[in-house]
Amino acid sequence: MSQLQAKLPTDTWVNATWDEYLLAISDPSYEKARGYYYNGRMRLEMSPLGNPHSRDHLIVIHAVCLFAGLNQIDFDGHDNCTYRKTDCAEAQPDVSYYLGANAEIVPWEATIIDLDTYPPPDLVIEVAYSSLADDKGEKRLLYESLGVREYWIIDVQNAQIIAFEIQNRGSRRIYQSQVLPGLDMALLEEALRRSRQMNHGKVSAWLLSQFQA
């Protein structure tokens, strides 16, 4: 495995057994990598995230939390949390949420969330700056297989949100959230566009005015 690790390409899918994947993510060389495993392949993401990715990452977290709070929707939010289905699949999405009845289902002390014990998150969000094709492709299939209820992709370069409702291990494009009823993707896209021209405080004030309208 040491030879495999020495030559292991990152930011792409590589054929690997589950044990090889676990060995790779335990290597100090990949300490900062985000790990994914699906269908007998692994992906270690090492691309630098940078300012555009981090700003959109923050905006979407803030928008969801603000909307849920104002609408009295219980939620448990996760930033870069690891979800594992042993011997089968693993994902570390940028953002994820348990909503409503699931908001308190995972105990605080849980580290890696074991999907053999707990349900998958209701909402998963990937912020895509250089990984858009994979987020729309293989990762979408991964989240379908895990049974998340809704999957959003933030297309950073175009300030767009590609959202899917997942049912029966398949997905369909949506333009209004089903897990956060009343939240339109168009409004979130406008928040992303505004964040290119103004600071987050002003964007937050605009979001608040829209959510309370």
Side-chain angles (χ1 to χ4, degrees):
M1 183 59 190
S2 60
Q3 290 182 346
L4 173 63
Q5 288 179 315
K7 300 177 182 178
L8 183 62
T10 57
D11 301 292
T12 189
W13 291 90
V14 178
N15 290 334
T17 65
W18 177 254
D19 288 340
E20 286 175 332
Y21 169 70
L22 293 180
L23 191 57
I25 61 173
S26 68
D27 189 298
S29 302
Y30 304 112
E31 182 180 3
K32 296 182 179 181
R34 293 169 57 210
Y36 296 83
Y37 188 85
Y38 172 63
N39 198 27
R41 297 193 295 164
M42 67 178 172
R43 178 182 173 96
L44 302 180
E45 295 192 353
M46 297 286 288
S47 296
L49 299 180
N51 179 59
H53 182 285
S54 66
R55 288 169 64 87
D56 281 1
H57 185 111
L58 187 145
I59 281 291
V60 73
I61 290 174
H62 178 64
V64 170
C65 293
L66 185 62
F67 181 86
L70 288 171
N71 288 278
Q72 298 183 332
I73 299 171
D74 290 337
F75 70 92
D76 179 24
H78 298 264
D79 184 16
N80 292 319
C81 185
T82 301
Y83 297 92
R84 175 174 294 174
K85 198 168 183 64
T86 303
D87 296 327
C88 178
E90 181 156 307
Q92 190 180 352
D94 285 302
V95 187
S96 49
Y97 292 90
Y98 286 93
L99 299 164
N102 287 334
E104 297 180 1
I105 202 165
V106 178
W108 181 89
E109 62 271 13
T111 51
I112 293 174
I113 296 180
D114 180 3
L115 296 183
D116 295 312
T117 302
Y118 305 107
D122 297 289
L123 172 61
V124 162
I125 304 170
E126 293 282 8
V127 182
Y129 184 74
S130 60
S131 61
L132 181 62
D134 184 70
D135 290 336
K136 292 193 296 184
E138 198 77 5
K139 286 184 192 170
R140 179 179 166 188
L141 297 177
L142 168 59
Y143 293 126
E144 287 176 358
S145 73
L146 292 179
V148 307
R149 293 175 59 196
E150 199 162 297
Y151 174 43
W152 302 356
I153 304 163
I154 312 301
D155 178 354
V156 174
Q157 298 196 44
N158 294 299
Q160 293 180 342
I161 299 177
I162 306 166
F164 299 95
E165 180 185 27
I166 296 176
Q167 289 184 344
N168 302 319
R169 298 176 69 87
S171 57
R172 69 177 183 92
R173 183 80 182 268
I174 56 173
Y175 298 90
Q176 184 180 87
S177 177
Q178 304 301 296
V179 297
L180 294 165
L183 180 56
D184 290 328
M185 297 303 112
L187 187 145
L188 296 180
E189 290 176 339
E190 178 61 22
L192 294 175
R193 288 191 289 272
R194 286 173 178 261
S195 74
R196 273 68 173 156
Q197 306 296 327
M198 61 181 65
N199 68 64
H200 284 160
K202 288 184 170 63
V203 176
S204 178
W206 178 82
L207 278 168
L208 185 59
S209 72
Q210 298 301 303
F211 290 158
Q212 293 181 323

Coordinates of all heavy atoms in Angstrom, one line a residue, residues 131-212:
S131 N -14.6 21.2 -8.9 CA -15.0 19.8 -8.9 C -16.5 19.7 -9.4 O -17.1 18.7 -9.0 CB -14.9 19.3 -7.4 OG -15.8 20.0 -6.5
L132 N -17.0 20.6 -10.2 CA -18.4 20.7 -10.5 C -18.8 19.4 -11.2 O -19.8 18.8 -10.9 CB -18.7 21.9 -11.4 CG -20.1 22.0 -11.9 CD1 -21.0 22.2 -10.7 CD2 -20.2 23.2 -12.8
A133 N -18.0 18.9 -12.2 CA -18.4 17.7 -13.0 C -18.5 16.5 -12.1 O -19.5 15.7 -12.2 CB -17.4 17.4 -14.1
D134 N -17.6 16.4 -11.1 CA -17.7 15.2 -10.2 C -18.9 15.4 -9.2 O -19.6 14.4 -8.9 CB -16.4 15.1 -9.4 CG -16.4 13.8 -8.5 OD1 -16.4 12.7 -9.0 OD2 -16.5 14.0 -7.3
D135 N -19.1 16.6 -8.8 CA -20.2 16.8 -7.8 C -21.6 16.5 -8.5 O -22.5 16.0 -7.9 CB -20.2 18.3 -7.3 CG -19.1 18.6 -6.4 OD1 -18.6 17.6 -5.8 OD2 -18.7 19.7 -6.3
K136 N -21.7 16.8 -9.8 CA -22.9 16.5 -10.5 C -23.0 15.0 -10.9 O -24.1 14.5 -11.2 CB -23.0 17.3 -11.8 CG -23.2 18.8 -11.5 CD -23.7 19.6 -12.8 CE -22.6 19.6 -13.8 NZ -23.0 20.5 -15.0
G137 N -21.9 14.3 -11.0 CA -21.8 13.0 -11.4 C -21.7 11.9 -10.3 O -22.7 11.5 -9.7
E138 N -20.4 11.5 -10.0 CA -20.2 10.4 -9.1 C -20.7 10.7 -7.7 O -21.3 9.9 -7.0 CB -18.7 10.1 -9.1 CG -18.4 8.7 -8.5 CD -18.7 7.6 -9.5 OE1 -19.0 7.9 -10.6 OE2 -18.5 6.4 -9.1
K139 N -20.5 11.9 -7.2 CA -21.0 12.3 -5.9 C -22.5 12.2 -5.8 O -23.1 11.8 -4.8 CB -20.4 13.6 -5.4 CG -18.9 13.6 -5.0 CD -18.5 14.9 -4.5 CE -17.0 15.0 -4.4 NZ -16.5 16.3 -4.1
R140 N -23.1 12.7 -6.8 CA -24.6 12.6 -6.9 C -25.1 11.1 -6.7 O -26.0 10.8 -6.0 CB -25.1 13.2 -8.2 CG -26.6 13.2 -8.3 CD -27.0 13.8 -9.6 NE -28.4 13.6 -10.0 CZ -28.8 13.9 -11.2 NH1 -28.1 14.5 -12.1 NH2 -30.1 13.7 -11.5
L141 N -24.4 10.2 -7.4 CA -24.7 8.8 -7.3 C -24.5 8.3 -5.9 O -25.2 7.5 -5.3 CB -23.9 8.0 -8.3 CG -24.2 8.3 -9.8 CD1 -23.3 7.5 -10.7 CD2 -25.7 8.0 -10.1
L142 N -23.4 8.8 -5.3 CA -23.0 8.4 -3.9 C -24.1 8.8 -3.0 O -24.6 8.0 -2.1 CB -21.7 9.0 -3.6 CG -21.3 9.0 -2.1 CD1 -21.2 7.6 -1.6 CD2 -19.9 9.7 -1.9
Y143 N -24.6 10.1 -3.1 CA -25.6 10.5 -2.1 C -26.9 9.9 -2.4 O -27.7 9.7 -1.5 CB -25.7 12.1 -2.2 CG -24.4 12.7 -1.6 CD1 -23.7 13.7 -2.4 CD2 -23.9 12.3 -0.4 CE1 -22.5 14.2 -1.9 CE2 -22.8 12.9 0.1 CZ -22.1 13.9 -0.6 OH -20.9 14.4 -0.1
E144 N -27.2 9.5 -3.7 CA -28.4 8.8 -3.9 C -28.3 7.4 -3.2 O -29.3 7.0 -2.6 CB -28.5 8.5 -5.5 CG -29.0 9.8 -6.2 CD -29.0 9.5 -7.7 OE1 -28.6 8.4 -8.2 OE2 -29.3 10.4 -8.5
S145 N -27.2 6.8 -3.3 CA -27.0 5.4 -2.7 C -27.1 5.5 -1.1 O -27.6 4.6 -0.5 CB -25.7 4.8 -3.1 OG -24.6 5.4 -2.4
L146 N -26.7 6.6 -0.5 CA -26.8 6.8 0.9 C -28.2 7.2 1.4 O -28.5 7.0 2.6 CB -25.8 7.9 1.4 CG -24.3 7.5 1.2 CD1 -23.4 8.7 1.7 CD2 -23.9 6.2 2.0
G147 N -29.0 7.7 0.5 CA -30.4 8.0 0.8 C -30.6 9.3 1.5 O -31.6 9.5 2.2
V148 N -29.7 10.3 1.2 CA -30.0 11.6 1.7 C -31.3 12.1 1.0 O -31.6 11.6 -0.1 CB -28.8 12.6 1.4 CG1 -27.5 12.1 2.0 CG2 -28.7 12.9 0.0
R149 N -32.0 13.1 1.6 CA -33.2 13.5 1.0 C -33.1 14.6 0.0 O -33.9 14.7 -1.0 CB -34.2 14.0 2.1 CG -34.6 12.9 3.1 CD -35.4 13.5 4.2 NE -36.6 14.2 3.8 CZ -37.3 15.0 4.5 NH1 -36.9 15.3 5.8 NH2 -38.4 15.6 4.0
E150 N -32.0 15.4 0.1 CA -31.8 16.5 -0.8 C -30.4 16.8 -0.9 O -29.6 16.8 0.0 CB -32.6 17.8 -0.3 CG -32.9 18.8 -1.3 CD -34.0 19.8 -0.9 OE1 -35.2 19.3 -0.7 OE2 -33.7 21.0 -0.7
Y151 N -30.0 17.2 -2.2 CA -28.5 17.4 -2.5 C -28.4 18.7 -3.3 O -29.1 18.8 -4.4 CB -28.0 16.2 -3.3 CG -26.6 16.4 -3.8 CD1 -25.6 16.9 -3.0 CD2 -26.3 15.9 -5.1 CE1 -24.3 17.1 -3.5 CE2 -25.0 16.0 -5.6 CZ -24.0 16.6 -4.8 OH -22.7 16.7 -5.3
W152 N -27.6 19.7 -2.8 CA -27.4 20.9 -3.5 C -25.9 21.0 -3.9 O -25.0 20.6 -3.2 CB -27.7 22.1 -2.6 CG -29.0 22.3 -2.1 CD1 -30.1 21.5 -2.3 CD2 -29.4 23.3 -1.1 NE1 -31.2 21.9 -1.5 CE2 -30.8 23.0 -0.8 CE3 -28.8 24.4 -0.6 CZ2 -31.5 23.9 0.1 CZ3 -29.5 25.2 0.3 CH2 -30.8 24.9 0.6
I153 N -25.7 21.5 -5.1 CA -24.4 21.8 -5.6 C -24.3 23.3 -5.8 O -25.1 23.9 -6.6 CB -24.1 21.1 -6.9 CG1 -24.3 19.6 -6.8 CG2 -22.6 21.4 -7.4 CD1 -24.4 18.8 -8.1
I154 N -23.3 24.0 -5.2 CA -23.1 25.4 -5.4 C -22.0 25.5 -6.5 O -20.9 25.2 -6.3 CB -22.6 26.1 -4.1 CG1 -23.5 25.7 -2.9 CG2 -22.5 27.6 -4.3 CD1 -24.9 26.0 -3.0
D155 N -22.5 26.0 -7.6 CA -21.6 26.3 -8.7 C -20.9 27.6 -8.5 O -21.5 28.7 -8.9 CB -22.3 26.2 -10.0 CG -21.5 26.5 -11.3 OD1 -20.3 26.8 -11.1 OD2 -22.0 26.3 -12.4
V156 N -19.8 27.7 -7.9 CA -19.1 28.9 -7.5 C -18.9 29.9 -8.7 O -19.2 31.1 -8.6 CB -17.8 28.7 -6.7 CG1 -17.1 30.0 -6.4 CG2 -18.1 27.9 -5.4
Q157 N -18.4 29.3 -9.8 CA -18.0 30.2 -10.9 C -19.1 30.8 -11.6 O -19.0 31.9 -12.2 CB -17.1 29.3 -11.9 CG -15.8 28.8 -11.2 CD -14.8 28.3 -12.2 OE1 -14.6 29.0 -13.2 NE2 -14.2 27.2 -12.0
N158 N -20.3 30.2 -11.5 CA -21.5 30.8 -12.1 C -22.5 31.3 -11.1 O -23.6 31.7 -11.6 CB -22.1 29.8 -13.0 CG -21.2 29.4 -14.2 OD1 -20.9 30.3 -15.0 ND2 -20.8 28.2 -14.3
A159 N -22.2 31.3 -9.8 CA -23.2 31.7 -8.8 C -24.5 31.1 -9.0 O -25.6 31.7 -8.9 CB -23.3 33.2 -8.8
Q160 N -24.5 29.7 -9.2 CA -25.8 29.0 -9.4 C -25.9 27.9 -8.4 O -24.8 27.4 -7.9 CB -25.8 28.4 -10.8 CG -26.0 29.5 -11.9 CD -26.1 28.9 -13.3 OE1 -25.7 27.8 -13.5 NE2 -26.5 29.7 -14.2
I161 N -27.1 27.4 -8.1 CA -27.3 26.3 -7.3 C -28.1 25.2 -8.1 O -29.1 25.5 -8.6 CB -28.1 26.7 -6.0 CG1 -27.4 27.7 -5.2 CG2 -28.4 25.4 -5.2 CD1 -28.1 28.2 -4.0
I162 N -27.5 24.0 -8.1 CA -28.1 22.9 -8.8 C -28.6 22.0 -7.7 O -27.8 21.4 -6.9 CB -27.1 22.1 -9.7 CG1 -26.5 23.1 -10.7 CG2 -27.8 21.0 -10.4 CD1 -25.2 22.6 -11.4
A163 N -29.9 21.9 -7.5 CA -30.5 21.2 -6.4 C -31.3 19.9 -6.9 O -32.0 20.0 -7.9 CB -31.4 22.1 -5.6
F164 N -31.2 18.9 -6.1 CA -31.9 17.6 -6.4 C -32.7 17.1 -5.2 O -32.1 17.1 -4.1 CB -30.9 16.5 -6.8 CG -30.1 16.9 -8.1 CD1 -28.8 17.5 -7.9 CD2 -30.6 16.7 -9.3 CE1 -28.1 17.8 -9.1 CE2 -29.9 17.0 -10.5 CZ -28.6 17.6 -10.3
E165 N -33.9 16.6 -5.4 CA -34.6 15.8 -4.4 C -34.2 14.3 -4.7 O -34.2 13.9 -5.9 CB -36.1 16.0 -4.5 CG -36.9 15.2 -3.5 CD -38.4 15.3 -3.7 OE1 -38.8 15.6 -4.8 OE2 -39.1 15.1 -2.7
I166 N -33.9 13.6 -3.7 CA -33.5 12.2 -3.8 C -34.6 11.3 -3.3 O -35.0 11.5 -2.1 CB -32.2 11.9 -3.2 CG1 -31.1 12.7 -3.9 CG2 -31.8 10.4 -3.2 CD1 -29.7 12.6 -3.2
Q167 N -35.1 10.3 -4.1 CA -36.0 9.4 -3.6 C -35.8 8.0 -4.4 O -35.4 8.0 -5.5 CB -37.5 9.8 -4.0 CG -38.0 11.0 -3.1 CD -39.4 11.3 -3.4 OE1 -40.0 10.9 -4.5 NE2 -40.1 12.0 -2.6
N168 N -35.9 6.9 -3.6 CA -35.8 5.6 -4.2 C -34.5 5.4 -5.0 O -34.5 4.9 -6.1 CB -37.0 5.3 -5.1 CG -38.3 5.4 -4.4 OD1 -38.4 4.9 -3.3 ND2 -39.3 6.0 -5.0
R169 N -33.4 6.0 -4.4 CA -32.0 5.8 -5.0 C -31.9 6.5 -6.4 O -31.1 6.1 -7.2 CB -31.6 4.4 -5.1 CG -31.5 3.7 -3.7 CD -31.2 2.2 -3.9 NE -29.8 2.0 -4.3 CZ -28.8 1.9 -3.6 NH1 -28.9 2.1 -2.3 NH2 -27.6 1.7 -4.1
G170 N -32.8 7.5 -6.6 CA -32.7 8.3 -7.8 C -32.9 9.8 -7.4 O -33.2 10.1 -6.3
S171 N -32.8 10.7 -8.4 CA -32.9 12.1 -8.1 C -33.6 12.9 -9.2 O -33.5 12.5 -10.4 CB -31.5 12.7 -7.7 OG -30.6 12.6 -8.8
R172 N -34.2 14.0 -8.8 CA -34.8 14.9 -9.8 C -34.4 16.3 -9.5 O -34.3 16.7 -8.3 CB -36.3 14.7 -9.9 CG -37.0 15.2 -8.7 CD -38.5 15.0 -8.8 NE -39.3 15.6 -7.6 CZ -39.7 16.8 -7.6 NH1 -39.5 17.7 -8.6 NH2 -40.3 17.3 -6.5
R173 N -34.3 17.2 -10.5 CA -33.9 18.6 -10.3 C -35.1 19.3 -9.6 O -36.3 19.1 -10.0 CB -33.6 19.2 -11.6 CG -33.1 20.7 -11.6 CD -31.7 20.8 -11.2 NE -31.3 22.2 -11.1 CZ -30.8 22.9 -12.1 NH1 -30.6 22.3 -13.2 NH2 -30.4 24.1 -11.9
I174 N -34.8 20.1 -8.7 CA -35.8 21.0 -8.0 C -35.4 22.4 -8.0 O -34.2 22.7 -8.1 CB -36.1 20.5 -6.6 CG1 -34.9 20.4 -5.7 CG2 -36.8 19.1 -6.6 CD1 -35.1 20.1 -4.3
Y175 N -36.3 23.3 -7.8 CA -36.0 24.8 -7.8 C -36.5 25.4 -6.5 O -36.2 26.6 -6.2 CB -36.6 25.5 -9.0 CG -36.0 24.9 -10.3 CD1 -36.6 23.8 -10.9 CD2 -34.8 25.5 -10.8 CE1 -36.0 23.3 -12.1 CE2 -34.2 24.9 -11.9 CZ -34.8 23.9 -12.6 OH -34.2 23.3 -13.7
Q176 N -37.1 24.6 -5.6 CA -37.5 25.0 -4.3 C -37.2 23.8 -3.4 O -37.5 22.7 -3.7 CB -39.0 25.4 -4.2 CG -39.3 26.0 -2.8 CD -40.8 26.4 -2.7 OE1 -41.7 25.5 -2.4 NE2 -41.1 27.6 -3.0
S177 N -36.6 24.1 -2.2 CA -36.3 23.0 -1.3 C -37.5 22.3 -0.8 O -38.5 22.9 -0.5 CB -35.5 23.6 -0.1 OG -35.2 22.6 0.8
Q178 N -37.4 21.0 -0.7 CA -38.5 20.2 -0.2 C -38.3 19.9 1.3 O -39.2 19.7 2.0 CB -38.5 18.8 -0.9 CG -38.7 18.9 -2.4 CD -39.9 19.7 -2.8 OE1 -41.0 19.2 -2.6 NE2 -39.8 20.8 -3.5
V179 N -37.1 20.0 1.8 CA -36.8 19.7 3.2 C -36.8 21.0 4.0 O -36.9 21.0 5.2 CB -35.4 19.0 3.4 CG1 -35.4 17.6 2.8 CG2 -34.3 19.8 2.9
L180 N -36.7 22.2 3.3 CA -36.9 23.5 3.9 C -38.0 24.2 3.1 O -37.7 25.1 2.2 CB -35.5 24.3 3.8 CG -34.4 23.7 4.6 CD1 -33.1 24.3 4.2 CD2 -34.6 24.0 6.1
P181 N -39.2 23.9 3.3 CA -40.3 24.4 2.5 C -40.4 25.9 2.4 O -40.3 26.6 3.5 CB -41.6 23.8 3.2 CG -41.1 22.6 3.9 CD -39.7 22.9 4.4
G182 N -40.5 26.4 1.2 CA -40.5 27.8 1.0 C -39.2 28.5 0.6 O -39.2 29.7 0.3
L183 N -38.1 27.7 0.7 CA -36.8 28.3 0.4 C -36.5 28.0 -1.1 O -36.3 26.9 -1.6 CB -35.7 27.6 1.2 CG -34.3 28.1 1.0 CD1 -34.2 29.7 1.2 CD2 -33.3 27.4 2.0
D184 N -36.5 29.1 -1.9 CA -36.2 29.1 -3.3 C -34.8 29.1 -3.7 O -34.0 29.9 -3.1 CB -36.9 30.2 -4.1 CG -38.5 30.1 -4.0 OD1 -38.9 28.9 -4.1 OD2 -39.1 31.1 -4.0
M185 N -34.3 28.3 -4.6 CA -32.9 28.3 -5.0 C -32.6 29.7 -5.7 O -31.5 30.2 -5.6 CB -32.7 27.2 -6.0 CG -32.8 25.8 -5.5 SD -31.8 25.5 -4.0 CE -33.0 25.3 -2.8
A186 N -33.6 30.3 -6.4 CA -33.3 31.6 -7.0 C -32.9 32.7 -6.0 O -32.1 33.5 -6.3 CB -34.6 32.0 -7.8
L187 N -33.5 32.6 -4.8 CA -33.2 33.6 -3.8 C -31.8 33.4 -3.3 O -31.0 34.4 -3.1 CB -34.2 33.5 -2.6 CG -34.1 34.6 -1.5 CD1 -35.5 35.0 -1.0 CD2 -33.2 34.1 -0.4
L188 N -31.4 32.1 -3.1 CA -30.0 31.8 -2.7 C -29.0 32.2 -3.7 O -27.9 32.7 -3.4 CB -29.9 30.4 -2.3 CG -30.8 29.8 -1.1 CD1 -30.5 28.4 -0.9 CD2 -30.4 30.6 0.1
E189 N -29.4 32.0 -5.0 CA -28.5 32.4 -6.1 C -28.3 33.9 -6.1 O -27.2 34.4 -6.3 CB -29.0 32.0 -7.4 CG -29.0 30.4 -7.6 CD -29.6 30.0 -8.9 OE1 -30.5 30.7 -9.4 OE2 -29.3 28.8 -9.3
E190 N -29.4 34.7 -5.8 CA -29.2 36.1 -5.7 C -28.3 36.5 -4.6 O -27.5 37.5 -4.7 CB -30.6 36.8 -5.6 CG -30.6 38.3 -5.4 CD -30.0 39.0 -6.6 OE1 -30.0 38.5 -7.7 OE2 -29.5 40.2 -6.4
A191 N -28.4 35.8 -3.5 CA -27.5 36.1 -2.3 C -26.0 35.8 -2.7 O -25.1 36.6 -2.4 CB -27.8 35.2 -1.1
L192 N -25.8 34.8 -3.5 CA -24.4 34.5 -4.0 C -24.0 35.6 -4.9 O -22.8 36.1 -4.8 CB -24.4 33.2 -4.8 CG -24.7 31.9 -3.9 CD1 -24.7 30.7 -4.9 CD2 -23.6 31.7 -2.9
R193 N -24.8 36.1 -5.8 CA -24.4 37.2 -6.7 C -24.1 38.5 -5.9 O -23.2 39.2 -6.2 CB -25.5 37.4 -7.7 CG -25.6 36.3 -8.8 CD -26.5 36.7 -9.9 NE -27.9 36.8 -9.6 CZ -28.7 35.7 -9.6 NH1 -28.3 34.6 -10.1 NH2 -30.0 35.8 -9.3
R194 N -25.0 38.8 -4.9 CA -24.7 40.0 -4.1 C -23.4 39.9 -3.4 O -22.8 40.9 -3.1 CB -25.9 40.2 -3.2 CG -27.2 40.7 -3.8 CD -28.4 40.7 -2.9 NE -29.5 41.3 -3.6 CZ -30.0 42.5 -3.5 NH1 -29.3 43.4 -2.7 NH2 -31.0 42.9 -4.2
S195 N -23.0 38.7 -3.0 CA -21.8 38.5 -2.2 C -20.6 38.8 -3.0 O -19.5 39.0 -2.5 CB -21.7 37.1 -1.6 OG -21.4 36.1 -2.6
R196 N -20.7 38.9 -4.4 CA -19.6 39.3 -5.2 C -19.4 40.8 -5.2 O -18.3 41.2 -5.6 CB -19.9 38.9 -6.7 CG -19.4 37.4 -7.1 CD -20.3 36.4 -6.4 NE -19.9 35.1 -6.9 CZ -20.1 34.0 -6.3 NH1 -20.7 34.0 -5.0 NH2 -19.8 32.8 -6.8
Q197 N -20.4 41.5 -4.7 CA -20.3 43.0 -4.8 C -20.4 43.6 -3.4 O -20.1 44.8 -3.3 CB -21.5 43.5 -5.6 CG -21.6 42.9 -7.0 CD -20.4 43.2 -7.9 OE1 -19.8 44.3 -7.8 NE2 -20.0 42.3 -8.8
M198 N -20.7 42.9 -2.4 CA -20.9 43.5 -1.1 C -20.4 42.5 0.0 O -20.3 41.3 -0.2 CB -22.3 43.9 -0.8 CG -23.4 42.8 -0.9 SD -25.1 43.4 -0.6 CE -25.3 44.4 -2.1
N199 N -20.2 43.0 1.2 CA -19.7 42.1 2.3 C -20.8 41.3 2.8 O -22.0 41.5 2.6 CB -19.0 43.0 3.4 CG -20.0 43.8 4.1 OD1 -20.9 43.4 4.8 ND2 -19.8 45.2 4.1
H200 N -20.5 40.3 3.7 CA -21.4 39.3 4.2 C -22.5 40.0 5.1 O -23.6 39.5 5.2 CB -20.7 38.2 4.8 CG -20.1 37.2 3.9 ND1 -19.1 36.4 4.2 CD2 -20.3 37.0 2.6 CE1 -18.7 35.6 3.2 NE2 -19.4 36.0 2.2
G201 N -22.1 41.0 5.8 CA -23.0 41.7 6.7 C -24.2 42.3 5.9 O -25.4 42.1 6.3
K202 N -23.9 42.9 4.7 CA -25.0 43.4 3.9 C -25.8 42.3 3.3 O -27.0 42.4 3.1 CB -24.4 44.4 2.8 CG -23.9 45.7 3.4 CD -23.4 46.6 2.2 CE -23.1 48.0 2.7 NZ -22.0 48.0 3.7
V203 N -25.1 41.2 2.8 CA -25.9 40.1 2.3 C -26.8 39.5 3.3 O -27.9 39.1 3.0 CB -24.9 39.0 1.7 CG1 -25.7 37.8 1.2 CG2 -24.1 39.6 0.6
S204 N -26.3 39.4 4.6 CA -27.1 38.9 5.6 C -28.3 39.7 5.9 O -29.5 39.2 6.1 CB -26.3 38.7 6.9 OG -27.0 38.3 8.0
A205 N -28.2 41.0 5.9 CA -29.3 41.9 6.1 C -30.3 41.8 5.0 O -31.5 41.8 5.2 CB -28.8 43.4 6.2
W206 N -29.8 41.6 3.7 CA -30.7 41.4 2.6 C -31.5 40.1 2.7 O -32.7 40.0 2.5 CB -30.0 41.5 1.3 CG -30.8 41.2 0.1 CD1 -31.6 42.1 -0.5 CD2 -31.0 40.0 -0.6 NE1 -32.3 41.5 -1.6 CE2 -32.0 40.2 -1.6 CE3 -30.5 38.7 -0.4 CZ2 -32.4 39.2 -2.5 CZ3 -31.0 37.7 -1.3 CH2 -31.9 37.9 -2.3
L207 N -30.8 39.0 3.1 CA -31.5 37.7 3.3 C -32.5 37.8 4.4 O -33.6 37.3 4.2 CB -30.4 36.7 3.7 CG -29.6 36.0 2.6 CD1 -28.4 35.2 3.2 CD2 -30.5 35.1 1.7
L208 N -32.2 38.5 5.5 CA -33.2 38.6 6.6 C -34.4 39.4 6.1 O -35.6 39.0 6.4 CB -32.5 39.4 7.7 CG -33.4 39.5 9.0 CD1 -33.7 38.2 9.6 CD2 -32.6 40.4 10.0
S209 N -34.2 40.4 5.3 CA -35.4 41.2 4.7 C -36.2 40.3 3.8 O -37.5 40.4 3.8 CB -34.9 42.4 4.0 OG -34.3 42.1 2.8
Q210 N -35.6 39.4 3.1 CA -36.3 38.5 2.1 C -37.1 37.4 2.9 O -38.2 37.1 2.6 CB -35.4 37.9 1.1 CG -34.7 38.9 0.2 CD -35.6 39.7 -0.6 OE1 -36.4 39.2 -1.3 NE2 -35.5 41.1 -0.4
F211 N -36.4 36.9 3.9 CA -37.1 35.8 4.6 C -38.2 36.3 5.5 O -39.1 35.5 5.8 CB -36.0 35.1 5.5 CG -35.0 34.3 4.8 CD1 -33.8 34.0 5.4 CD2 -35.2 33.8 3.5 CE1 -32.8 33.3 4.7 CE2 -34.3 33.1 2.9 CZ -33.0 32.8 3.5
Q212 N -38.2 37.6 5.9 CA -39.3 38.1 6.7 C -40.4 38.8 5.9 O -41.3 39.3 6.5 CB -38.7 39.1 7.7 CG -37.8 38.4 8.8 CD -37.3 39.4 9.8 OE1 -36.9 40.5 9.4 NE2 -37.2 39.0 11.0

